[in-house]
Amino acid sequence: MPLPVSFLLLVVGFVLLMKGADIFVDGSSSLADKIGIPQIVIGLTIVAFGTSAPEAAVSITAGIKGSPDLSISNVLGSNILNVLLILGIASVIAPLSIQKNTLKYEIPFVFVITGLLLGLGTVSYTHLRAHETSQDL
């Protein structure tokens, strides 16, 4: 595909994305307002959907094209960035209070699950590499 056509498609995609986001925000805000949902819930839900939609699109596309590793790395990278960057910036701006329940149960649970996923990924990768190596022999 020629470079000018690619650039034009990129610009058109960005314009349609911005217009679609405006329509989505306006429609969901007015619908939620008519139902009686508080504004804070509306805002948080729209932000959550807006930040997750691009990752979902990339992950779905990668899965369809046969690249599940890209899907997993996209999800993990997004979560790591959200936790470390967003939480870090928020804690620099204002001190964050942590409940005892979070410190006692939730944070250790996150570490256990992270270790479990890391272990499963390592075993899976090692098995895959060993299988590929045995086929080459």
Side-chain angles (χ1 to χ4, degrees):
M1 184 179 302
L3 185 62
V5 173
S6 297
F7 184 74
L8 178 65
L9 290 174
L10 178 70
V11 170
V12 168
F14 279 138
V15 169
L16 290 175
L17 180 67
M18 290 187 301
K19 188 60 182 166
D22 286 342
I23 292 170
F24 172 74
V25 169
D26 292 342
S28 59
S29 295
S30 65
L31 177 66
D33 195 36
K34 288 178 185 175
I35 295 173
I37 298 174
Q39 290 291 325
I40 186 72
V41 174
I42 296 169
L44 290 175
T45 305
I46 291 171
V47 168
F49 181 79
T51 58
S52 298
E55 279 110 12
V58 168
S59 296
I60 290 168
T61 303
I64 290 171
K65 291 186 177 184
S67 298
D69 51 343
L70 180 62
S71 298
I72 293 170
S73 62
N74 185 30
V75 170
L76 289 175
S78 172
N79 288 332
I80 290 169
L81 180 80
N82 285 339
V83 168
L84 296 180
L85 183 69
I86 305 304
L87 192 59
I89 290 173
S91 65
V92 167
I93 294 172
L96 300 177
S97 62
I98 299 175
Q99 297 177 355
K100 288 183 181 183
N101 190 34
T102 302
L103 202 54
K104 189 174 182 180
Y105 297 110
E106 295 171 10
I107 292 176
F109 181 74
V110 168
F111 281 116
V112 168
I113 294 299
T114 301
L116 181 66
L117 287 175
L118 184 60
L120 288 172
T122 302
V123 168
S124 175
Y125 178 76
T126 304
H127 176 71
L128 177 67
R129 296 299 297 167
H131 183 68
E132 288 176 351
T133 304
S134 67
Q135 284 182 349
D136 291 339
L137 296 176

